[in-house]
Amino acid sequence: MDAPELPTQYYTFKDCLARQIIARSPSDSSSDVDDAQLDDFSSFLASEVWDILPSTLRDASYETRATVPDLETMSLDNVPPSFSDTLTSYALCPDDDGAETFLRRVLSSYAADVTAPPPPWPSTRTKECELCERDVPLTYHHLIPRSTHAKVLKRKWHPESMINSVAWLCRPCHTAVHRFARTDELARNYYTMQLLLERDEIQRWKSYAAKQRYGVKRG
Ligand SMILES: [Zn+2]
Ligand SMILES: [Zn+2]
């Protein structure tokens, strides 16, 4: 299996499987699945069922959350017997029906994870300016400027979940970013700090700003 080609949802699914395996592993006796095996084992189980999941589930995200099937009633008839047999042989469920319950639990935590809303942006606040890295008073910069939101959504430049992403910048750096490009360009081409930092002009500003005194000095 060529792991890097799989979507991020697959890895979330595998993590949910691993958590369910941990939760089901008998605590009173030594489990058949030790920590070293957990990664291999959850990868194996994930690869056994990933392809038979409906695409609305495999592609699920915050944007598509309304299309996620009902996990209580969704048919699991096509789950390969190897999946149930493996769970049973590792004492992770009592019988075949147990394997279905196991999988529904995994899928419901998976669906909750992948459709979770983006973090409230103030919680991403950093202590230092994300550009010059100085420990100074910060302002927040809408990486996708608010005046462009309607256009961004209409033209599908970015998913709705990204629209309110912010960077925490000191006032001089904030001004520098807005001098660097127009709001449309910021929204379209410089909607992450990484993209901004790739530009020479921004790097030159950064080296300059990092040497300036401003408020509380670092360290
Ligand atoms: Zn700064
Ligand atoms: Zn701004």
Side-chain angles (χ1 to χ4, degrees), residues 5 7 22 31-32 34 36 42 45 58 71 78 80 85 107 110 117 124 128 142 156 186 206 211:
E5 287 175 17
I22 292 165
S31 170
D32 283 337
D34 65 32
S42 54
L45 288 171
R58 278 179 294 153
L71 301 168
N78 49 359
D85 294 349
L107 289 174
Y110 161 78
T124 64
E128 296 168 352
H142 282 265
K156 296 190 168 33
L186 289 173
K206 177 180 169 162
K211 293 187 203 105

PDB file of all heavy atoms in Angstrom, residues 5 7 22 31-32 34 36 42 45 58 71 78 80 85 107 110 117 124 128 142 156 186 206 211:
ATOM      1  N   GLU A   5      -0.373   8.414  -0.750  1.00  0.00           N
ATOM      2  CA  GLU A   5      -1.418   8.788  -1.699  1.00  0.00           C
ATOM      3  C   GLU A   5      -2.821   8.768  -1.103  1.00  0.00           C
ATOM      4  O   GLU A   5      -3.778   9.162  -1.747  1.00  0.00           O
ATOM      5  CB  GLU A   5      -1.381   7.858  -2.911  1.00  0.00           C
ATOM      6  CG  GLU A   5      -0.190   8.160  -3.799  1.00  0.00           C
ATOM      7  CD  GLU A   5      -0.050   7.183  -4.925  1.00  0.00           C
ATOM      8  OE1 GLU A   5      -1.029   6.470  -5.211  1.00  0.00           O
ATOM      9  OE2 GLU A   5       1.044   7.108  -5.501  1.00  0.00           O
ATOM     10  N   PRO A   7      -5.969   9.846   1.283  1.00  0.00           N
ATOM     11  CA  PRO A   7      -6.423  11.152   1.802  1.00  0.00           C
ATOM     12  C   PRO A   7      -6.268  11.232   3.322  1.00  0.00           C
ATOM     13  O   PRO A   7      -6.163  10.208   3.995  1.00  0.00           O
ATOM     14  CB  PRO A   7      -7.903  11.177   1.405  1.00  0.00           C
ATOM     15  CG  PRO A   7      -8.300   9.749   1.300  1.00  0.00           C
ATOM     16  CD  PRO A   7      -7.069   9.005   0.841  1.00  0.00           C
ATOM     17  N   ILE A  22      -7.728  -0.010  21.353  1.00  0.00           N
ATOM     18  CA  ILE A  22      -7.225   0.221  22.714  1.00  0.00           C
ATOM     19  C   ILE A  22      -8.361   0.083  23.727  1.00  0.00           C
ATOM     20  O   ILE A  22      -8.215  -0.562  24.760  1.00  0.00           O
ATOM     21  CB  ILE A  22      -6.555   1.614  22.821  1.00  0.00           C
ATOM     22  CG1 ILE A  22      -5.273   1.624  21.985  1.00  0.00           C
ATOM     23  CG2 ILE A  22      -6.260   1.982  24.271  1.00  0.00           C
ATOM     24  CD1 ILE A  22      -4.711   3.023  21.719  1.00  0.00           C
ATOM     25  N   SER A  31      -2.842  -8.155  26.366  1.00  0.00           N
ATOM     26  CA  SER A  31      -3.567  -8.096  25.099  1.00  0.00           C
ATOM     27  C   SER A  31      -2.778  -8.770  23.976  1.00  0.00           C
ATOM     28  O   SER A  31      -1.553  -8.823  24.014  1.00  0.00           O
ATOM     29  CB  SER A  31      -3.819  -6.636  24.739  1.00  0.00           C
ATOM     30  OG  SER A  31      -4.296  -6.547  23.436  1.00  0.00           O
ATOM     31  N   ASP A  32      -3.520  -9.288  23.001  1.00  0.00           N
ATOM     32  CA  ASP A  32      -2.863  -9.887  21.840  1.00  0.00           C
ATOM     33  C   ASP A  32      -2.224  -8.820  20.952  1.00  0.00           C
ATOM     34  O   ASP A  32      -1.380  -9.108  20.135  1.00  0.00           O
ATOM     35  CB  ASP A  32      -3.870 -10.691  21.009  1.00  0.00           C
ATOM     36  CG  ASP A  32      -4.172 -12.026  21.676  1.00  0.00           C
ATOM     37  OD1 ASP A  32      -3.330 -12.492  22.466  1.00  0.00           O
ATOM     38  OD2 ASP A  32      -5.241 -12.585  21.396  1.00  0.00           O
ATOM     39  N   ASP A  34      -0.017  -5.690  21.075  1.00  0.00           N
ATOM     40  CA  ASP A  34       0.794  -4.801  21.904  1.00  0.00           C
ATOM     41  C   ASP A  34       1.006  -3.461  21.201  1.00  0.00           C
ATOM     42  O   ASP A  34       0.620  -3.272  20.048  1.00  0.00           O
ATOM     43  CB  ASP A  34       2.117  -5.471  22.333  1.00  0.00           C
ATOM     44  CG  ASP A  34       3.029  -5.768  21.145  1.00  0.00           C
ATOM     45  OD1 ASP A  34       2.998  -5.002  20.166  1.00  0.00           O
ATOM     46  OD2 ASP A  34       3.761  -6.770  21.197  1.00  0.00           O
ATOM     47  N   ALA A  36       3.508  -1.967  19.942  1.00  0.00           N
ATOM     48  CA  ALA A  36       4.301  -1.965  18.717  1.00  0.00           C
ATOM     49  C   ALA A  36       3.484  -2.433  17.517  1.00  0.00           C
ATOM     50  O   ALA A  36       3.714  -2.008  16.391  1.00  0.00           O
ATOM     51  CB  ALA A  36       5.532  -2.845  18.883  1.00  0.00           C
ATOM     52  N   SER A  42      -3.899  -1.538  13.087  1.00  0.00           N
ATOM     53  CA  SER A  42      -4.943  -0.590  12.695  1.00  0.00           C
ATOM     54  C   SER A  42      -4.842  -0.271  11.200  1.00  0.00           C
ATOM     55  O   SER A  42      -5.857  -0.082  10.525  1.00  0.00           O
ATOM     56  CB  SER A  42      -4.910   0.676  13.552  1.00  0.00           C
ATOM     57  OG  SER A  42      -3.637   1.251  13.531  1.00  0.00           O
ATOM     58  N   LEU A  45      -6.542  -3.277   9.417  1.00  0.00           N
ATOM     59  CA  LEU A  45      -8.005  -3.229   9.522  1.00  0.00           C
ATOM     60  C   LEU A  45      -8.572  -2.067   8.697  1.00  0.00           C
ATOM     61  O   LEU A  45      -9.596  -2.213   8.018  1.00  0.00           O
ATOM     62  CB  LEU A  45      -8.434  -3.103  10.988  1.00  0.00           C
ATOM     63  CG  LEU A  45      -8.248  -4.359  11.842  1.00  0.00           C
ATOM     64  CD1 LEU A  45      -8.512  -4.033  13.315  1.00  0.00           C
ATOM     65  CD2 LEU A  45      -9.171  -5.489  11.388  1.00  0.00           C
ATOM     66  N   ARG A  58     -15.947   8.613   2.946  1.00  0.00           N
ATOM     67  CA  ARG A  58     -14.497   8.724   2.739  1.00  0.00           C
ATOM     68  C   ARG A  58     -14.059  10.165   2.488  1.00  0.00           C
ATOM     69  O   ARG A  58     -12.966  10.564   2.852  1.00  0.00           O
ATOM     70  CB  ARG A  58     -14.053   7.843   1.564  1.00  0.00           C
ATOM     71  CG  ARG A  58     -13.853   6.372   1.963  1.00  0.00           C
ATOM     72  CD  ARG A  58     -13.446   5.538   0.791  1.00  0.00           C
ATOM     73  NE  ARG A  58     -14.534   5.472  -0.180  1.00  0.00           N
ATOM     74  CZ  ARG A  58     -14.378   5.281  -1.476  1.00  0.00           C
ATOM     75  NH1 ARG A  58     -13.175   5.133  -1.982  1.00  0.00           N
ATOM     76  NH2 ARG A  58     -15.429   5.230  -2.274  1.00  0.00           N
ATOM     77  N   LEU A  71     -25.061   6.592  10.354  1.00  0.00           N
ATOM     78  CA  LEU A  71     -24.148   5.488  10.681  1.00  0.00           C
ATOM     79  C   LEU A  71     -24.819   4.376  11.474  1.00  0.00           C
ATOM     80  O   LEU A  71     -24.315   3.266  11.543  1.00  0.00           O
ATOM     81  CB  LEU A  71     -22.931   6.031  11.429  1.00  0.00           C
ATOM     82  CG  LEU A  71     -22.150   7.076  10.619  1.00  0.00           C
ATOM     83  CD1 LEU A  71     -21.140   7.785  11.491  1.00  0.00           C
ATOM     84  CD2 LEU A  71     -21.476   6.437   9.422  1.00  0.00           C
ATOM     85  N   ASN A  78     -21.298  -5.419   3.068  1.00  0.00           N
ATOM     86  CA  ASN A  78     -20.136  -5.726   2.229  1.00  0.00           C
ATOM     87  C   ASN A  78     -18.794  -5.680   2.969  1.00  0.00           C
ATOM     88  O   ASN A  78     -17.741  -5.700   2.353  1.00  0.00           O
ATOM     89  CB  ASN A  78     -20.110  -4.806   1.005  1.00  0.00           C
ATOM     90  CG  ASN A  78     -20.310  -3.346   1.388  1.00  0.00           C
ATOM     91  OD1 ASN A  78     -20.493  -3.027   2.564  1.00  0.00           O
ATOM     92  ND2 ASN A  78     -20.253  -2.459   0.410  1.00  0.00           N
ATOM     93  N   PRO A  80     -15.735  -7.133   4.467  1.00  0.00           N
ATOM     94  CA  PRO A  80     -15.152  -8.451   4.207  1.00  0.00           C
ATOM     95  C   PRO A  80     -15.073  -9.301   5.483  1.00  0.00           C
ATOM     96  O   PRO A  80     -14.810  -8.767   6.556  1.00  0.00           O
ATOM     97  CB  PRO A  80     -13.745  -8.129   3.679  1.00  0.00           C
ATOM     98  CG  PRO A  80     -13.473  -6.740   4.095  1.00  0.00           C
ATOM     99  CD  PRO A  80     -14.786  -6.038   4.232  1.00  0.00           C
ATOM    100  N   ASP A  85     -13.398 -11.610  11.195  1.00  0.00           N
ATOM    101  CA  ASP A  85     -12.597 -12.741  11.687  1.00  0.00           C
ATOM    102  C   ASP A  85     -11.380 -12.259  12.469  1.00  0.00           C
ATOM    103  O   ASP A  85     -11.035 -12.816  13.509  1.00  0.00           O
ATOM    104  CB  ASP A  85     -12.130 -13.618  10.513  1.00  0.00           C
ATOM    105  CG  ASP A  85     -13.298 -14.313   9.823  1.00  0.00           C
ATOM    106  OD1 ASP A  85     -14.421 -14.276  10.397  1.00  0.00           O
ATOM    107  OD2 ASP A  85     -13.108 -14.863   8.729  1.00  0.00           O
ATOM    108  N   LEU A 107     -16.752   4.299  13.029  1.00  0.00           N
ATOM    109  CA  LEU A 107     -17.243   5.241  12.016  1.00  0.00           C
ATOM    110  C   LEU A 107     -17.875   6.471  12.645  1.00  0.00           C
ATOM    111  O   LEU A 107     -17.746   7.573  12.118  1.00  0.00           O
ATOM    112  CB  LEU A 107     -18.242   4.543  11.090  1.00  0.00           C
ATOM    113  CG  LEU A 107     -17.611   3.520  10.129  1.00  0.00           C
ATOM    114  CD1 LEU A 107     -18.693   2.773   9.362  1.00  0.00           C
ATOM    115  CD2 LEU A 107     -16.636   4.199   9.162  1.00  0.00           C
ATOM    116  N   TYR A 110     -15.073   8.603  13.753  1.00  0.00           N
ATOM    117  CA  TYR A 110     -14.441   9.120  12.528  1.00  0.00           C
ATOM    118  C   TYR A 110     -15.247  10.296  11.960  1.00  0.00           C
ATOM    119  O   TYR A 110     -14.707  11.369  11.671  1.00  0.00           O
ATOM    120  CB  TYR A 110     -14.324   8.003  11.488  1.00  0.00           C
ATOM    121  CG  TYR A 110     -14.112   8.479  10.072  1.00  0.00           C
ATOM    122  CD1 TYR A 110     -12.859   8.912   9.642  1.00  0.00           C
ATOM    123  CD2 TYR A 110     -15.176   8.509   9.164  1.00  0.00           C
ATOM    124  CE1 TYR A 110     -12.668   9.370   8.341  1.00  0.00           C
ATOM    125  CE2 TYR A 110     -14.991   8.965   7.866  1.00  0.00           C
ATOM    126  CZ  TYR A 110     -13.744   9.398   7.456  1.00  0.00           C
ATOM    127  OH  TYR A 110     -13.561   9.859   6.176  1.00  0.00           O
ATOM    128  N   PRO A 117     -15.946  21.369  13.157  1.00  0.00           N
ATOM    129  CA  PRO A 117     -15.702  22.714  12.626  1.00  0.00           C
ATOM    130  C   PRO A 117     -14.246  23.116  12.852  1.00  0.00           C
ATOM    131  O   PRO A 117     -13.571  22.550  13.709  1.00  0.00           O
ATOM    132  CB  PRO A 117     -16.645  23.598  13.436  1.00  0.00           C
ATOM    133  CG  PRO A 117     -16.966  22.823  14.657  1.00  0.00           C
ATOM    134  CD  PRO A 117     -16.845  21.370  14.303  1.00  0.00           C
ATOM    135  N   THR A 124      -5.958  30.153  18.107  1.00  0.00           N
ATOM    136  CA  THR A 124      -4.680  29.916  17.418  1.00  0.00           C
ATOM    137  C   THR A 124      -3.651  30.976  17.807  1.00  0.00           C
ATOM    138  O   THR A 124      -2.547  30.968  17.304  1.00  0.00           O
ATOM    139  CB  THR A 124      -4.854  29.948  15.886  1.00  0.00           C
ATOM    140  OG1 THR A 124      -5.256  31.258  15.497  1.00  0.00           O
ATOM    141  CG2 THR A 124      -5.884  28.929  15.419  1.00  0.00           C
ATOM    142  N   GLU A 128       4.233  35.191  20.015  1.00  0.00           N
ATOM    143  CA  GLU A 128       5.108  36.049  19.229  1.00  0.00           C
ATOM    144  C   GLU A 128       4.461  36.354  17.881  1.00  0.00           C
ATOM    145  O   GLU A 128       3.672  35.571  17.381  1.00  0.00           O
ATOM    146  CB  GLU A 128       6.445  35.334  18.985  1.00  0.00           C
ATOM    147  CG  GLU A 128       7.206  35.090  20.270  1.00  0.00           C
ATOM    148  CD  GLU A 128       8.367  34.137  20.088  1.00  0.00           C
ATOM    149  OE1 GLU A 128       8.483  33.546  18.989  1.00  0.00           O
ATOM    150  OE2 GLU A 128       9.138  33.983  21.047  1.00  0.00           O
ATOM    151  N   HIS A 142      -6.740  38.981   9.097  1.00  0.00           N
ATOM    152  CA  HIS A 142      -7.557  38.002   8.376  1.00  0.00           C
ATOM    153  C   HIS A 142      -6.782  37.604   7.128  1.00  0.00           C
ATOM    154  O   HIS A 142      -6.628  38.419   6.224  1.00  0.00           O
ATOM    155  CB  HIS A 142      -8.912  38.596   7.987  1.00  0.00           C
ATOM    156  CG  HIS A 142      -9.872  38.636   9.122  1.00  0.00           C
ATOM    157  ND1 HIS A 142     -10.793  37.652   9.351  1.00  0.00           N
ATOM    158  CD2 HIS A 142     -10.035  39.529  10.111  1.00  0.00           C
ATOM    159  CE1 HIS A 142     -11.485  37.937  10.433  1.00  0.00           C
ATOM    160  NE2 HIS A 142     -11.055  39.079  10.913  1.00  0.00           N
ATOM    161  N   LYS A 156     -15.252  30.038  -5.227  1.00  0.00           N
ATOM    162  CA  LYS A 156     -14.702  28.812  -4.634  1.00  0.00           C
ATOM    163  C   LYS A 156     -13.171  28.823  -4.553  1.00  0.00           C
ATOM    164  O   LYS A 156     -12.507  27.818  -4.819  1.00  0.00           O
ATOM    165  CB  LYS A 156     -15.180  27.570  -5.401  1.00  0.00           C
ATOM    166  CG  LYS A 156     -16.682  27.345  -5.335  1.00  0.00           C
ATOM    167  CD  LYS A 156     -17.020  25.976  -5.911  1.00  0.00           C
ATOM    168  CE  LYS A 156     -18.415  25.472  -5.673  1.00  0.00           C
ATOM    169  NZ  LYS A 156     -19.513  26.388  -5.617  1.00  0.00           N
ATOM    170  N   LEU A 186      -4.023  38.963  -1.589  1.00  0.00           N
ATOM    171  CA  LEU A 186      -3.812  38.313  -0.295  1.00  0.00           C
ATOM    172  C   LEU A 186      -4.767  37.128  -0.181  1.00  0.00           C
ATOM    173  O   LEU A 186      -4.377  36.024   0.181  1.00  0.00           O
ATOM    174  CB  LEU A 186      -4.056  39.298   0.854  1.00  0.00           C
ATOM    175  CG  LEU A 186      -3.013  40.403   1.043  1.00  0.00           C
ATOM    176  CD1 LEU A 186      -3.476  41.393   2.112  1.00  0.00           C
ATOM    177  CD2 LEU A 186      -1.653  39.819   1.421  1.00  0.00           C
ATOM    178  N   LYS A 206      10.948  40.772   7.165  1.00  0.00           N
ATOM    179  CA  LYS A 206      11.079  39.994   8.391  1.00  0.00           C
ATOM    180  C   LYS A 206      12.453  40.211   9.038  1.00  0.00           C
ATOM    181  O   LYS A 206      12.541  40.448  10.243  1.00  0.00           O
ATOM    182  CB  LYS A 206      10.869  38.502   8.100  1.00  0.00           C
ATOM    183  CG  LYS A 206      11.053  37.614   9.305  1.00  0.00           C
ATOM    184  CD  LYS A 206      10.849  36.144   8.978  1.00  0.00           C
ATOM    185  CE  LYS A 206      11.328  35.315  10.166  1.00  0.00           C
ATOM    186  NZ  LYS A 206      10.801  33.952  10.154  1.00  0.00           N
ATOM    187  N   LYS A 211      14.923  42.882  13.932  1.00  0.00           N
ATOM    188  CA  LYS A 211      16.007  43.598  14.629  1.00  0.00           C
ATOM    189  C   LYS A 211      15.519  44.859  15.333  1.00  0.00           C
ATOM    190  O   LYS A 211      16.297  45.524  16.014  1.00  0.00           O
ATOM    191  CB  LYS A 211      17.100  43.989  13.620  1.00  0.00           C
ATOM    192  CG  LYS A 211      17.837  42.803  13.049  1.00  0.00           C
ATOM    193  CD  LYS A 211      19.013  43.295  12.183  1.00  0.00           C
ATOM    194  CE  LYS A 211      19.429  42.254  11.173  1.00  0.00           C
ATOM    195  NZ  LYS A 211      18.971  42.588   9.805  1.00  0.00           N
TER     196      LYS A 211
END
